[in-house]
Amino acid sequence: MIIRRLQPTLEYLLDNYPAVALLGPRQAGKTTLALDIAAQQPAIYLDLESTADQAKLHNAELYLSEHRDKLVILDEVQRAPNLFQNLRGLIDQGRREGLRNGRFLLLGSASIELLQQSSETLAGRISYLELTPFDVLELAAEQTETLWLRGGFPDSVLAGNDAVSLKWRQDFIRTYLERDIPQLGPRIPAETLRRFWSMLAHNQGELLNAAKLAAALGVDGKTVARYLDLLVDLLLVRRLKPWHNNSGKRLVKSPKTYVRDSGIAHALLGIGDKETLLGHPVCGRSWEGFVIENCLSVAPPHSEAHFYRSSAGAECDLVLTFPDQTTWAIEVKRSSAPNPQKGFYFAQDDIQPAASFVVYPGTETYSVADGVKAIGLAALLKLIAGKNEH
């Protein structure tokens, strides 16, 4: 059993809030983590995709009030939007009876869906937490390259071999396209969405060119925006926004897009093993996306992530701003001898970060220029995670 780094945070929030929403893509390990916590206390688990469990909630207020002394875990809660009003009444009633915290653990695999439904009805009563697939700090150091190839979904990274892992990811993609996404709303042809998702994988880490994607798909720009919003809301794609300041410089305004899980990106591209990956044109940008996702996975809540690019050639892959408003500039290189380009130093002058790093596949940390350190991914993640303690 791999202990999830987020578990102590989740336990703390349950001790201090009546309801906690644990968000994350399907198969990231939300249910496993929730059941692990449930084993430590009186709890009941309801899967809202199960017909039997849906029937129990036919009179939700009555059923849930009978279990007021237990932690109630509601899985795939975005399937029952009408439930949030009931939860509000039960939480308020419980508060009057002295039951203030640890009442409900809500598991959801669609972020905005859940936030829109609960933000108004449960304001002040709920805390949100995102569980990503495994990151580098949760696995052994020697598994980093495997994690990059296969991605962080537990069933993929822990599979017996690369072929089994790839098959799992292909099935995961098919299930999302054919079952999960159609349940969320307007019908989107599965094959069209697969092509769009694959295009994003081919363009991993590049500036979003909606017109180009629309032309390739034979749809209009608004449709491309809708497809992208959907994949972002499902926590499958990241839209990384450009960093802006008031310097008056001409800065890029388009976001970059990344398929968030490197293993899913590789499956969409038909990359099944390390040798194929290292020889593929997407290799460097895939490593960049993998590093960025890991950095954001361990960063303190409410940290902000951007990239920086100006028309004059200044460029930085990740500008990470922590809750205390300190900023780190992070450049990503898939090279054993990482040397930043001039554009990174120009970006440093513009951003004025508190620290600057070049992440590379090695393990040694050393200075490559004044104020710039080359650093391995695991070492950088430990530094970022340490910001949680301040």
Side-chain angles (χ1 to χ4, degrees):
M1 178 70 184
I2 297 171
I3 303 298
R4 300 308 302 263
R5 188 174 30 76
L6 214 62
Q7 183 162 338
T9 306
L10 179 55
E11 291 170 344
Y12 171 81
L13 292 176
L14 285 168
D15 286 341
N16 289 277
Y17 284 86
V20 177
L22 184 63
L23 307 174
R26 280 183 176 277
Q27 305 296 322
K30 299 185 301 295
T31 304
T32 302
L33 177 54
L35 293 177
D36 201 40
I37 286 175
Q40 303 169 27
Q41 59 189 294
I44 59 167
Y45 170 82
L46 298 173
D47 180 358
L48 299 187
E49 290 192 327
S50 158
T51 306
D53 285 352
Q54 287 174 1
K56 292 176 185 176
L57 294 175
H58 182 68
N59 187 336
E61 200 157 337
L62 177 62
Y63 179 85
L64 294 174
S65 64
E66 290 174 351
H67 297 281
R68 64 166 65 85
D69 57 337
K70 300 184 181 74
L71 171 66
V72 178
I73 300 168
L74 299 168
D75 205 346
E76 297 300 336
V77 72
Q78 72 273 3
R79 300 282 185 223
N82 298 328
L83 200 55
F84 289 98
Q85 195 63 47
N86 296 122
L87 296 183
R88 175 179 176 169
L90 290 164
I91 287 170
D92 290 347
Q93 181 184 344
R95 280 174 165 172
R96 291 191 290 272
E97 297 171 2
L99 302 171
R100 303 194 64 82
N101 304 317
R103 301 284 309 283
F104 300 101
L105 177 53
L106 314 179
L107 311 181
S109 55
S111 62
I112 300 302
E113 290 273 317
L114 195 57
L115 289 170
Q116 285 176 340
Q117 293 159 8
S118 61
S119 58
E120 293 178 15
T121 53
L122 294 182
R125 303 166 180 84
I126 189 167
S127 181
Y128 297 95
L129 198 59
E130 183 181 336
L131 181 72
T132 62
F134 284 133
D135 60 54
V136 166
L137 294 186
E138 291 178 310
L139 299 177
E142 62 270 16
Q143 291 178 282
T144 297
E145 295 286 295
T146 301
L147 185 64
W148 172 39
L149 170 67
R150 299 182 180 182
F153 286 96
D155 287 340
S156 177
V157 71
L158 301 176
N161 56 57
D162 288 345
V164 173
S165 171
L166 180 61
K167 176 68 166 61
W168 183 91
R169 282 174 277 139
Q170 290 169 336
D171 290 341
F172 174 91
I173 291 166
R174 187 178 303 113
T175 300
Y176 251 107
L177 291 169
E178 296 176 359
R179 193 197 76 168
D180 295 340
I181 291 174
Q183 290 177 351
L184 285 172
R187 177 79 177 130
I188 298 174
E191 190 51 43
T192 303
L193 194 58
R194 172 186 282 277
R195 286 176 57 208
F196 177 68
W197 203 355
S198 298
M199 286 177 189
L200 292 180
H202 277 284
N203 295 321
Q204 185 83 330
E206 293 187 359
L207 295 176
L208 175 65
N209 186 333
K212 179 181 171 184
L213 292 171
L217 286 170
V219 298
D220 60 26
K222 287 184 179 178
T223 302
V224 163
R226 184 164 61 90
Y227 290 177
L228 182 59
D229 286 344
L230 177 61
L231 292 175
V232 169
D233 289 351
L234 289 170
L235 307 170
L236 298 170
V237 168
R238 182 174 299 281
R239 188 166 30 203
L240 191 65
K241 295 179 180 178
W243 189 82
H244 288 289
N245 60 10
N246 298 318
S247 66
K249 293 180 182 291
R250 292 180 59 202
L251 303 176
V252 166
K253 294 181 179 178
S254 296
K256 283 184 177 182
T257 56
Y258 296 88
V259 176
R260 288 184 57 169
D261 183 77
S262 57
I264 297 300
H266 299 155
L268 288 164
L269 297 172
I271 298 171
D273 58 65
K274 179 91 174 288
E275 289 306 310
T276 306
L277 173 58
L278 293 177
H280 198 282
V282 84
C283 176
R285 288 177 283 114
S286 168
W287 173 252
E288 178 185 313
F290 175 69
V291 169
I292 289 172
E293 283 304 314
N294 271 268
C295 289
L296 300 186
S297 174
V298 305
H302 312 299
S303 298
E304 295 183 5
H306 301 86
F307 72 96
Y308 185 81
R309 187 179 293 183
S310 75
S311 58
E315 189 169 357
C316 177
D317 294 329
L318 178 62
V319 181
L320 196 54
T321 304
F322 297 105
D324 63 5
Q325 295 308 301
T326 57
T327 296
W328 288 6
I330 299 169
E331 184 75 358
V332 183
K333 295 291 182 187
R334 181 68 197 178
S335 166
S336 57
N339 288 307
Q341 304 294 317
K342 284 182 181 179
F344 179 65
Y345 296 110
F346 293 154
Q348 267 197 304
D349 292 340
D350 294 345
I351 299 166
Q352 294 293 307
S356 297
F357 300 95
V358 182
V359 188
Y360 76 115
T363 57
E364 190 179 349
T365 301
Y366 59 93
S367 293
V368 292
D370 186 27
V372 182
K373 287 186 176 180
I375 192 169
L377 178 55
L380 176 64
L381 296 181
K382 286 173 184 174
L383 290 178
I384 295 173
K387 298 287 282 185
N388 278 295
E389 299 164 9
H390 299 308

